[in-house]
Amino acid sequence: MLNYNVQNTIFHYLDKISLINNNVSKNYLFEIQDSITIIQCKKGQQFVMEGAPVNGLFFICKGRAKVLKTGIYGKEQILRFVKEGEIVGHRGFGTRKKYGISAVALEDIVLCNFSNEVLEKMLKEIPTLTYNLMLFYAEELNKSENKVKAFAQMTVKEKVIDTLIYLHRKFGQNPKGYLNLVLSRKEIADFAGTSDEQVIRILSTLKKENQIFTSGKRIGISNIDLLKKEISEHNYFINS
Amino acid sequence: MLNYNVQNTIFHYLDKISLINNNVSKNYLFEIQDSITIIQCKKGQQFVMEGAPVNGLFFICKGRAKVLKTGIYGKEQILRFVKEGEIVGHRGFGTRKKYGISAVALEDIVLCNFSNEVLEKMLKEIPTLTYNLMLFYAEELNKSENKVKAFAQMTVKEKVIDTLIYLHRKFGQNPKGYLNLVLSRKEIADFAGTSDEQVIRILSTLKKENQIFTSGKRIGISNIDLLKKEISEHNYFINS
DNA sequence: CGCTCGCTTGAAACGGCTCAACCAAAGTGG
DNA sequence: CCACTTTGGTTGAGCCGTTTCAAGCGAGCG
């Protein structure tokens, strides 16, 4: 019962992560707490680096981040955005020795890291945890495969619209109708798989069509259903 | 011990599937054999249909198939090719009610189907099975995310070359150097995310460059390392 | 023998990318 | 406090790659 305060903090943060919360008992967590690390990250900081040796799994306790792969000439492809309660650094175990993705904080965030060893131990001892993590991966795989199809078949305009719908779905909008996540045009482009100029053009067009409105970097969506119609023929919206 | 022959057949086929073989005991399989179905499929037959209610997981016991999503105007996006021992119909459990993908036999194949119920039972009772299935998904997710990046950043030529390398890696080549899987130009295009005309053009170019040689639909690779160099700057080969 | 299907090639139209210039906002330093 | 610099947003124009349309070819099959 030493440093009760610290323990309290860890448990407070772990409480935000449903995968842990629903599958791992408080007693269990108490026992392994020394293998769990709470990390604070500043905006823009990279906490997972593609190609670096795997160092366990990260959970987002607070704040938001982007997950990406770096391609030729440093062009990045953003794969997804993550928020409180979600997992980063998947595939950080098994035979794999290096991370396949990078992760960068979009704001000041709090992370929780489970070491390789404790993670493996947990997965072996808590079947429901493993089961639910498996479901998580299966779901992520489905999303990723949807994105593959989207990239292969959509026009740039559709990809940008799809990105807006994704952001709306995942982060919602504030009372004034603006998306709750503010990104640079380049970040939108890196997610949609195009250039920032192209994104700006599409946004301008959408503004003229009264589909969206902007204020600086902020983007507001006039009518989400109307926007969805624009790509409904593709029968595809990235879920969550 | 009735119909010993049939049992023998089931076990013979199950033996090909390492995920089952390595994690489920013969006794266990014997007990649940009534929930396992062996299915024969003719070439071209569709055995998983996108949007149809989930009916368990399929394992390929013999032969090869393509896994795809159908897009606008019936344009299909092939996500991967599968061979003996591999899994199709993932995500066919959990909260998901419908298949997210279709699967079509590329030749006469033999499948093994585990019903939803028995699958769930197995996953709850055999932790190592769940663990290994989780690793499988994690690996598939990694591959899929590589494909997302590839689609966003590669030129058509690179995507076609990448497809050839993928096929070479996954199915190998015969003594004469031809790829062991014969596909139509359109199927190559549907995997690479382009049109069949484009594929043909690229193949013609590669022939002139002595990178490949063809005989009818068959494609032979002259020097796989040389081919890999063409896209090595992208630092990416689809693994497996 | 004639039909069909898939492969192949050419040419034209389109869309998206890149380059370049301009602008607005915010931050910095004298 | 103002001029300067920097950063990111915006728009236009030209080029290049890709798609699409169209026509020809060759093998396989009834």
Side-chain angles (χ1 to χ4, degrees), chain B residues 138-236:
Chain B
E139 201 53 48
E140 284 295 312
L141 178 58
N142 189 38
K143 286 178 203 164
S144 179
E145 289 181 343
N146 277 332
K147 202 169 166 73
V148 169
K149 188 185 114 186
F151 269 36
Q153 303 193 351
M154 282 182 172
T155 64
V156 168
K157 183 173 184 185
E158 290 169 323
K159 286 191 271 189
V160 172
I161 291 176
D162 195 65
T163 302
L164 295 179
I165 294 171
Y166 165 75
L167 292 172
H168 178 270
R169 196 181 186 116
K170 178 136 196 175
F171 298 104
Q173 53 188 38
N174 68 20
K176 287 183 179 168
Y178 290 108
L179 290 173
N180 272 329
L181 181 65
V182 178
L183 298 170
S184 71
R185 305 308 195 215
K186 182 166 179 314
E187 281 170 327
I188 295 175
D190 287 342
F191 182 82
T194 183
S195 63
D196 49 349
E197 294 99 325
Q198 220 44 252
V199 168
I200 287 160
R201 272 180 244 279
I202 305 291
L203 292 180
S204 297
T205 310
L206 290 175
K207 252 194 287 191
K208 280 174 199 150
E209 296 170 1
N210 290 320
Q211 291 271 26
I212 63 166
F213 48 95
T214 61
S215 165
K217 295 167 87 172
R218 292 192 168 274
I219 300 171
I221 294 174
S222 310
N223 184 333
I224 189 71
D225 293 320
L226 224 64
L227 206 54
K228 282 180 183 174
K229 267 193 187 165
E230 292 254 334
I231 56 166
S232 64
E233 40 185 6
H234 277 255
N235 204 27
Y236 165 68

Side-chain angles (χ1 to χ4, degrees), chain B residues 73-87:
Chain B
Y73 306 136
K75 177 160 171 43
E76 42 181 70
Q77 176 60 47
I78 298 180
L79 296 168
R80 61 182 165 279
F81 295 97
V82 287
K83 60 182 178 185
E84 192 171 297
E86 297 187 334
I87 308 171

Side-chain angles (χ1 to χ4, degrees), chain A residues 11-24:
Chain A
F11 293 136
H12 167 69
Y13 282 129
L14 290 177
D15 219 46
K16 309 271 189 182
I17 306 158
S18 62
L19 187 71
I20 299 294
N21 212 15
N22 296 340
N23 297 291
V24 188

Side-chain angles (χ1 to χ4, degrees), chain A residues 69-72 75 77 80 91 96 133-134 137-139 142 144-146 148-149 151-153, chain B residues 69-72 75 77 80 91 96 133-135 137-139 142 144-146 148-149 151-153:
Chain A
K69 278 178 185 280
T70 308
I72 183 170
K75 177 161 171 41
Q77 176 61 46
R80 62 183 165 279
R91 310 180 290 297
R96 188 162 290 276
L133 190 56
M134 184 200 66
Y137 282 132
E139 201 53 48
N142 189 39
S144 180
E145 290 180 342
N146 277 332
V148 169
K149 188 184 115 187
F151 269 34
Q153 303 191 352
Chain B
K69 278 178 185 282
T70 308
I72 182 170
K75 177 160 171 43
Q77 176 60 47
R80 61 182 165 279
R91 312 178 289 296
R96 188 162 291 274
L133 190 56
M134 184 199 66
L135 290 185
Y137 282 133
E139 201 53 48
N142 189 38
S144 179
E145 289 181 343
N146 277 332
V148 169
K149 188 185 114 186
F151 269 36
Q153 303 193 351

Side-chain angles (χ1 to χ4, degrees), chain A residues 26-175:
Chain A
K26 294 279 181 265
N27 284 342
Y28 196 103
L29 287 175
F30 188 83
E31 274 181 40
I32 60 166
Q33 59 179 299
D34 289 340
S35 305
I36 304 174
T37 317
I38 300 290
I39 301 163
Q40 313 253 356
C41 268
K42 287 281 172 196
K43 176 174 177 174
Q45 201 174 335
Q46 183 167 357
F47 57 93
V48 179
M49 191 170 292
E50 194 177 346
V54 158
N55 188 26
L57 210 63
F58 293 88
F59 292 88
I60 311 283
C61 300
K62 190 170 186 311
R64 296 169 293 191
K66 56 181 174 181
V67 176
L68 53 94
K69 278 178 185 280
T70 308
I72 183 170
Y73 307 135
K75 177 161 171 41
E76 45 181 66
Q77 176 61 46
I78 298 180
L79 296 168
R80 62 183 165 279
F81 296 96
V82 287
K83 60 182 178 184
E84 190 172 298
E86 297 187 332
I87 307 171
V88 179
H90 335 144
R91 310 180 290 297
F93 40 55
T95 55
R96 188 162 290 276
K97 305 272 192 307
K98 297 180 175 185
Y99 286 119
I101 47 97
S102 295
V104 176
L106 288 171
E107 53 204 7
D108 290 1
I109 63 175
V110 179
L111 299 167
C112 167
N113 176 263
F114 285 71
S115 72
N116 292 331
E117 296 71 29
V118 79
L119 197 65
E120 203 145 331
K121 175 179 144 77
M122 285 169 76
L123 290 170
K124 277 180 184 153
E125 293 175 354
I126 312 173
T128 62
L129 178 69
T130 314
Y131 182 77
N132 281 292
L133 190 56
M134 184 200 66
L135 290 185
F136 165 79
Y137 282 132
E139 201 53 48
E140 284 295 311
L141 179 58
N142 189 39
K143 286 178 203 166
S144 180
E145 290 180 342
N146 277 332
K147 202 168 166 75
V148 169
K149 188 184 115 187
F151 269 34
Q153 303 191 352
M154 282 182 172
T155 64
V156 167
K157 183 173 183 184
E158 289 169 324
K159 286 192 270 190
V160 172
I161 292 176
D162 194 65
T163 302
L164 295 179
I165 294 170
Y166 164 75
L167 293 173
H168 179 269
R169 197 183 184 113
K170 178 138 196 173
F171 298 104
Q173 53 189 37
N174 67 19

Side-chain angles (χ1 to χ4, degrees), chain A residues 178-236:
Chain A
Y178 291 108
L179 291 173
N180 272 329
L181 182 65
V182 178
L183 299 170
S184 71
R185 305 309 196 214
K186 181 165 180 313
E187 282 170 327
I188 295 175
D190 287 343
F191 182 83
T194 183
S195 63
D196 50 348
E197 294 100 323
Q198 221 46 250
V199 168
I200 288 162
R201 272 180 244 279
I202 305 292
L203 292 180
S204 295
T205 310
L206 290 175
K207 251 194 288 191
K208 280 175 198 147
E209 296 170 1
N210 289 319
Q211 290 272 25
I212 63 166
F213 48 94
T214 62
S215 165
K217 296 167 89 173
R218 294 193 165 273
I219 300 172
I221 295 174
S222 309
N223 184 334
I224 188 70
D225 294 319
L226 224 62
L227 206 53
K228 282 181 182 172
K229 266 192 188 164
E230 292 254 333
I231 56 167
S232 64
E233 40 185 6
H234 277 252
N235 204 28
Y236 164 69

